[in-house]
Amino acid sequence: MVHYSQSGQLRRLADSVAGPLRDSDSIQVDQLQIQMQHPFPFPWPFWRFFHIFPETVRMQPQPLQPLQVNADVRYDLVILAYQVWFLSPSLPMTSFLATPEAEKLLRDTPVMTLVGCRNMWLMAQEKMKLRLQQLNARLIDHVALTDQCGMALSFLATPLWMFTGQQQPCRWLPRAGIAEDDIRAASRFGEALKKRLEHDSTPLQEPVLRGLQAVRVDEKLIASERIGNRSFQVWSRLLARLGPQDSRRRSLGLAVYILFLLCMIITVVPVVAVLKKLLQPLTRKHIARQKAAFAGPSGE
């Protein structure tokens, strides 16, 4: 299992999934924690977080500490547990996937992706699918768990957690993050994997987690994520051209970008939601096909 966690939430989620596998006498579980050469802070200083926006969106790898893994070992399954930053896989996971070790480790190997995030994971997973294809890995399952406090309140609750380190810094806000009950219940995925690996020695080819509610695709977010991702691609290229991460020119560009982002959240997201509601009778079949594609390979 490969993972990177700052607050510890994703690590607990990964441990919940891996728990049943570790309890098996016939299954060996190896863990690799990604560590940056220049560690990212938590909680995040406000500007420091946005300064890595261009590199994250463009999936530009950053230096890692030496990976404590034997890439020559052939695994029955590799679980990649990652967060979503700016509608993209987190920069530590992107950096890992760019290493020679990842290329050797994942080639012709079954992979399960495990996401813990606020709620918008569709575009990040599409990018992950493409990267795994480039590495000749075989994605067989995907799990995505999202924050408990809902889409509207998480716009405030999750950033406050990131910038203060407290999951509930205000009494009037719900607790940010994935519900602890959901984290514990994620052990069902490990149980399913354990059963398959213990009772069938053939290589994993097909999804194991179908029917276990591994993901939930919120159709209201599909269009918003697509629009947001296109915007992020444009802004990331522009900001990267302004200068390196700590440059004054990038800081000025980021100030403009943050204002643009707030305006987009306040205006575009609600408008898109209303339009989708009005057009729902005409787009029902198209949306159903989109949801099925995003939910793969494990399905809702």
Side-chain angles (χ1 to χ4, degrees), residues 35 84 189 226:
Q35 295 183 335
V84 175
F189 306 122
R226 289 188 182 278

Side-chain angles (χ1 to χ4, degrees), residues 28-30 69-70 73-78 105 108-110:
Q28 176 181 330
V29 179
D30 294 334
V69 62
N70 182 358
V73 174
R74 305 313 302 165
Y75 287 94
D76 297 311
L77 176 69
V78 174
L105 190 67
D108 298 323
T109 300

Side-chain angles (χ1 to χ4, degrees), residues 53-59 80 82 84-90 93-94 97 113 120-135 139 225-226 228-234 236 294:
F53 164 73
E55 287 75 20
T56 301
V57 174
R58 302 175 79 194
M59 299 179 70
L80 301 177
Y82 73 95
V84 175
W85 295 0
F86 301 110
L87 303 183
S88 301
S90 69
M93 181 56 70
T94 295
L97 293 175
T113 47
M120 301 176 81
W121 55 266
L122 303 179
M123 295 297 102
Q125 182 62 9
E126 290 302 297
K127 296 172 187 177
M128 177 63 79
K129 289 177 183 177
L130 178 59
R131 186 70 186 110
L132 292 175
Q133 288 176 5
Q134 293 168 346
L135 292 169
L139 180 65
E225 282 212 44
R226 289 188 182 278
N229 186 57
R230 293 192 188 101
S231 169
F232 285 2
Q233 295 292 336
V234 172
S236 65
F294 284 127

Side-chain angles (χ1 to χ4, degrees), residues 95-111:
S95 301
F96 166 74
L97 293 175
T99 63
E101 291 89 343
E103 184 176 4
K104 292 180 66 177
L105 190 67
L106 299 179
R107 185 185 299 122
D108 298 323
T109 300
V111 171

